Amino acid sequence: MKLNNLIATNRDLDICALSVDSREVKPGYIFGDICNGAYVKAALENKASVIITSTDCGEESNADTLILKVDNPAAFYAQVVSKFYGEKPENICAVTGTNGKTSIADFVRQVLTMMGEKAASMGTLGLIKGNDAPIPSPNTTPNCVTVHKELKELKEEGFDYVIMEASSHGICQYRIGGIAFKAAGFTNLTRDHLDYHKTMENYLAAKTLLFTDMLVENGWAVLNADINVYEKLKKACLDHGKRIVSYGRNGKDIKLLKATPLLHGQRLDLEYFGKTVSLEIPLAGEFQAMNVLCAMGLAAKISNKADEVLRYITKIHGAKGRLELAGQTATGAAIYIDYAHTPDALENVIKAMRPHTRGKLHVLFGCGGDRDAGKRPIMGKIANDLADVVYVTDDNPRTENADNIRQQIMDACPKGQNIPNRSEAIKLAIHALQKGDVLILAGKGHETGQYINGKIYPFSDHEEVLKNL
């Protein structure tokens, strides 16, 4: 493709590829600088044909390389990538928020697929096409080149619908820039990623960009009316010409009237776009009810088939590692696996399982290293206050001292048993279960590796459960 088809320039260059990795680039490549100039010199040495970087970059163009300096290189580069890869599926929606993104994306894909549509989801579980097995992804939101390449391939394979998880990093770094989202959902905003965003205000601002900058004009913003930032989000959306679907106990369009726990799920009584309905879902906990409501709003607006959504939403199954029943002991104790790794998520899963617990409620969890340390004592106190038995163990210590992480949790969790080895902790927890007990293994969910001392070792909570049963 000619460069002037992508960027207004007088240089007559043939472009064959794009990359955000300076190690990959060579002549014919456009390099997108998303790291504030850190790898521009390396891209120059590898003779990238074009480098898109910030206005304060000290490097200059030469005979081999054109350097374009712009105010927001990530946003500009995303538009170039979008042009390069061309057509995408017609109906693309996204969901953001601290918790619930994976489940909601999975639910929307399931419903659309049951409706007979070719639908895919992209996010923490990877790329899932219809009912196929996931194709793993290293990030919730991959880099913009990967995102647009996958969207082009989905279009070529005949997919009309895509639902994407949009992480705060992915939004503010414009990894999903250049996509015309027809609908976008917001779940909640609780403490997470403050090591990156520093303040909750910055964290909210990053997520709000999805609605103000990436959702098409007259696009549908599906917002949780029960959260304290709802009015602020609603105003931002209306100020930028978006339409609102509100959901939750305070929702106007999808209103939760009552959630009744059942043996294998719950019954939801709703007002659904003007109709009073009652439905049963095979998922426990009010937070899952809220995820279902958001998914219903997104699926209804992206497909324009609200009645069909209502018909199929009762047939969904939970996403892998999201309050997933992983097994039962011989005495009937249940073991659940959940990805909860924030204070809000941990509180939600414990509260969700309390009505289903006839004996004691056991919780096993840890906290990740090289991440927000402030949430560790908060999560420790939540587990101490809400669970009957607590096991504090390692999550993904990464390059941090694992003993220190656990101790920061234990300082607020006198009830906790400090067990360093996660495999050993799971074994002890399972063998301590009695009839009617429930065990929640929190933090790692679907993951199949554990990051310790800078290396990733094979590890799966699911496999540990099966091994001990």
Side-chain angles (χ1 to χ4, degrees):
M1 182 179 290
K2 291 293 184 181
L3 177 61
N4 55 21
N5 289 330
L6 301 172
I7 302 168
T9 176
N10 292 326
R11 285 212 185 189
D12 184 23
L13 295 173
D14 288 316
I15 300 300
C16 63
L18 304 96
S19 181
V20 294
D21 188 336
S22 63
R23 296 166 297 184
E24 292 180 352
V25 300
K26 53 191 174 184
Y29 275 62
I30 300 179
F31 173 66
D33 171 27
I34 58 172
C35 296
N36 300 317
Y39 301 101
V40 169
K41 191 177 290 293
L44 272 169
E45 291 172 355
N46 288 336
K47 294 184 169 27
S49 290
V50 182
I51 295 174
I52 296 171
T53 186
S54 59
T55 52
D56 58 1
C57 176
E59 305 292 344
E60 300 297 333
S61 300
N62 58 39
D64 295 317
T65 305
L66 170 66
I67 294 184
L68 287 174
K69 299 178 182 181
V70 297
D71 291 334
N72 189 333
F76 186 90
Y77 187 62
Q79 295 295 332
V80 173
V81 174
S82 180
K83 289 181 183 177
F84 181 83
Y85 283 104
E87 288 194 332
K88 306 165 187 64
E90 185 177 350
N91 304 293
I92 306 177
C93 60
V95 58
T96 194
T98 307
N99 302 308
K101 298 185 295 294
T102 300
S103 291
I104 292 166
D106 206 59
F107 297 162
V108 174
R109 176 188 53 76
Q110 288 182 52
V111 168
L112 292 171
T113 301
M114 285 187 279
M115 288 166 57
E117 306 291 352
K118 289 203 71 171
S121 58
M122 299 169 67
T124 306
L125 299 179
L127 172 62
I128 306 178
K129 304 175 183 180
N131 293 319
D132 291 353
I135 301 169
S137 170
N139 303 104
T140 297
T141 310
N143 69 68
C144 69
V145 176
T146 300
V147 167
H148 284 276
K149 182 174 181 289
E150 289 182 348
L151 288 174
K152 180 182 180 180
E153 290 171 351
L154 287 169
K155 174 67 175 179
E156 291 172 345
E157 292 172 22
F159 283 84
D160 298 313
Y161 292 87
V162 178
I163 170 69
M164 301 176 64
E165 290 182 57
S167 67
S168 57
H169 296 70
I171 297 168
C172 68
Q173 293 171 5
Y174 284 85
R175 299 182 204 167
I176 55 174
I179 300 171
F181 292 103
K182 290 190 175 181
F186 196 102
T187 63
N188 46 55
L189 190 79
T190 61
R191 183 175 181 135
D192 200 14
H193 303 306
L194 294 194
D195 54 307
Y196 180 83
H197 296 291
K198 308 305 181 187
T199 68
M200 290 298 290
E201 289 75 19
N202 292 343
Y203 185 30
L204 175 60
K207 290 187 174 296
T208 303
L209 281 174
L210 173 63
F211 300 88
T212 58
D213 289 26
M214 300 172 185
L215 182 61
V216 299
E217 189 169 356
N218 283 323
W220 290 100
V222 181
L223 307 178
N224 184 345
D226 295 350
I227 58 177
N228 60 9
V229 295
Y230 169 69
E231 292 297 338
K232 187 178 289 187
L233 278 168
K234 179 181 175 182
K235 184 179 186 305
C237 290
L238 293 175
D239 288 348
H240 287 79
K242 322 303 181 184
R243 293 179 285 181
I244 306 293
V245 170
S246 64
Y247 69 92
R249 291 193 178 275
N250 297 309
K252 178 183 176 184
D253 305 284
I254 307 177
K255 184 179 183 67
L256 178 60
L257 302 173
K258 186 179 180 182
T260 305
L262 304 173
L263 185 60
H264 298 294
Q266 56 188 312
R267 183 175 65 250
L268 305 181
D269 295 315
L270 310 172
E271 286 180 7
Y272 178 71
F273 297 113
K275 295 192 297 188
T276 301
V277 298
S278 180
L279 53 89
E280 292 185 9
I281 57 171
L283 306 162
E286 184 160 320
F287 76 97
Q288 283 284 42
M290 295 296 284
N291 290 341
V292 166
L293 267 55
C294 184
M296 290 171 72
L298 286 170
K301 291 306 178 183
I302 199 73
S303 69
N304 200 30
K305 297 177 181 177
D307 288 341
E308 283 198 49
V309 170
L310 197 60
R311 184 188 316 159
Y312 291 109
I313 196 69
T314 58
K315 300 177 182 179
I316 59 172
H317 56 80
K320 188 171 181 62
R322 270 62 181 177
L323 206 54
E324 177 186 4
L325 180 61
Q328 291 183 309
T329 66
T331 60
I335 304 163
Y336 286 83
I337 292 176
D338 192 83
Y339 192 50
H341 58 278
T342 67
D344 180 66
L346 185 63
E347 181 176 352
N348 282 336
V349 297
I350 296 174
K351 287 182 175 179
M353 294 316 302
R354 179 58 76 181
H356 301 269
T357 306
R358 295 181 179 85
K360 290 183 178 180
L361 182 53
H362 305 239
V363 174
L364 180 150
F365 78 104
C367 287
D370 305 329
R371 298 291 188 270
D372 176 16
K375 69 182 182 182
R376 295 168 189 171
I378 299 173
M379 293 175 70
K381 186 175 188 308
I382 288 169
N384 193 77
D385 291 350
L386 299 180
D388 299 312
V389 182
V390 181
Y391 303 88
V392 177
T393 188
D394 293 340
D395 189 283
N396 290 310
R398 297 184 175 88
T399 63
E400 207 175 330
N401 184 292
D403 294 340
N404 292 343
I405 296 172
R406 293 193 312 280
Q407 191 56 53
Q408 289 169 29
I409 299 171
M410 289 292 298
D411 287 343
C413 187
K415 188 184 290 181
Q417 301 176 48
N418 189 339
I419 305 171
N421 184 294
R422 191 175 181 95
S423 178
E424 185 64 24
I426 292 173
K427 178 180 179 180
L428 288 171
I430 290 176
H431 286 274
L433 293 173
Q434 302 295 319
K435 183 177 181 180
D437 288 357
V438 168
L439 168 63
I440 302 170
L441 305 180
K444 292 185 62 60
H446 64 286
E447 293 179 353
T448 56
Q450 191 173 22
Y451 196 168
I452 303 172
N453 292 328
K455 294 182 179 180
I456 298 177
Y457 299 89
F459 190 92
S460 163
D461 280 1
H462 290 83
E463 290 182 7
E464 293 297 318
V465 170
L466 292 176
K467 183 168 69 179
N468 284 286
L469 291 179

